[in-house]
Amino acid sequence: MTFLNPVKSVIARGYFTALISIIIIFIASYLTTIPGSRSSLTDQAENNMLDLSQSYIKLLEARISAINNTAEYMNTDGDFYSCLIQGGEPSLITANLKSFIKDNPSYLSAAVYDKDGKFVTASEDSYLKDDNPYYVNAALSLKQPMQSDYIKAGDEHSIICAVPLINANTLFGCVAITVPVQSFTSELASVKLQNTESSFAYLLTPLGHFIYHPDSEYIGKITGEGIIRDMIEQRDVVSAVVHFNFEGEKIASLATSSTNGWTLVIQADKSELLQPVNHTAVKSIVICILIGIIVSVFAYLAIYVFLRPIALMTKEISSISSLNFTSTKEIDKLTREQTEIGTMAKEIKKMHDNIKNVISDLNTVTEKISSGSTDLSDIAASLTDCSSENSAVSEQLAAGMEHTTNTVNAIKRQVDTIKRRTEEINRQSSNTIQLSDTIMDRATSARQSARQSADTTRDMYSMVSVEARTALEQSKAVSKINDLTKNILDIADQTSLLALNANIEAAKSGNYGKGFAVVAKEISKLAEQSSETATNISSIITEVTTAVNNIDTCLTRTLEFMDVSVMKDYDNFTEISNTYHEDAESFQSTLEEITHSLKSLEGATNDIAMAITGMTETINDSSDGIVTIANRSGEIVTLSDNTYNQVKLNGEMSDTLQGIVDKFKL
């Protein structure tokens, strides 16, 4: 059908479908009706044959019964009784038999037998005088009339009817009447089935011999058809229809006489017998073909009238299914029809317009979603850049904090050194105090002797006093560490505050700020560690300051003691200067160790100052990084707001799309 346009294709398919349906219907009708009709007509023909056979067999029974009835008077005839019972003269019976034959000219002869079956007399001298013929014995034993098989009396085809003679229920003999077959089979020659020239009838004895046949050559012979002979020999078949092959297919109906067992057969050629059935079947086929042609023409017209609009609508639906929404004039014409087709066309037109509107709405929404997707892509790129910068800054902060940790560890080591040095100074100061006590004890007795070395002692005192005060002034620089430690704590507090703010901004950023929140959390931990470290430094500086203050107090007291007590009484030491020369050298050595310790303390203090300066720079760098992160967090918040707005817009577009989809009923 590829050469047809869609409309013609639909009409052609509909027509061929209807035509095939019609052909199938007629074939089904033929297969169901014609064979049934053929079988019914065949059964009817067979029943007619069977009825005809049964009718003629009844006619034969009536003829035989009439022959038997003609001999009934002999039952009461005294001559027959006296002759057969009392042994009377047979001549009287012979005369009666001749009179009987004369009265019935269709009969050929008659004979009488006694009750034992012995021949007594006959109407004809030429009659066969045998005793106990089988038909006589059968009649005597059964006490009912019996017929012989076919016999030939001269040139005449005959049978013998044996009638028992019974008087007062006493069997006293039997009479045998010879009858020509033609006398009771004359009607069989005219037996014909209607319009069946091949049909004819024939009569068979219980032994299968032909009593009558249209062809006299068969009379007296045994039938050669085995199926019929078998049915006759069964002796219990009253009537039947048989099919057999004998010079072609034959059909025969059989009817058996209940009186003497004769069987009448009516036979015909099957083809001729069923010829009316075949003619009827042919006529039925011709009529079916004519009706099929007429129905096909009307079907084509009806299909063209009814399917053309449907085909046009199918074409329109096919165009819609292939996403072709161009308008067609045929549908516009169909919508003006005031029929169901017109209503369907209007609905298809309405569907066409609705789908076009939906597609237009979808196009608009798609453009908006595409634009929103582009904006979201730009925002995502910006968020990626911000995240990259935050990652770099976080790495820098981590490195700075690591450097701060190392610096704090160095400070701790220097502070430990200061602590050890301070303990040494305390020990040496204690020795100095003990030595001073010894000197004071000795100075009491040698006051006068020390005067000579007063000038030297004063010079030494001046030098020691200047160096000691200088060292004390330098040791007071340790107190500045407290200020630096306080600054570190302030910076740690600010770092914690910045980390808190960063966490808040990260929380505002939603999913985009999760990574920054982790960085802010780590900065907060570093701030807490810095605070703890500064606290430890403050505790250590407090111990150092306490030790320095103790040194200051001891040195001050020593100088005051030397200025107030020693120097005033030193004149007394002059005299014994030699005695205390070794003590003075020991004292000088002690003071030199103190000076050396103070110089070491000064160096450690300088190292602490430098370390704290490095920490300050690192924390400043961390502060700058946190400021940068905070700025980036603000940008991330802005981008997150833009993303939220765009997502909200996409949600609205999604609702619009859902509204469009909801218009469809699935």
Side-chain angles (χ1 to χ4, degrees), residues 13-27:
R13 287 198 299 270
Y15 175 70
F16 283 120
T17 301
L19 184 60
I20 291 173
S21 300
I22 292 170
I23 293 173
I24 292 173
I25 290 171
F26 280 118
I27 291 174

Side-chain angles (χ1 to χ4, degrees), residues 33-45:
T33 304
I34 300 301
S37 301
R38 186 186 184 92
S39 176
S40 178
L41 293 174
T42 302
D43 292 342
Q44 185 177 358

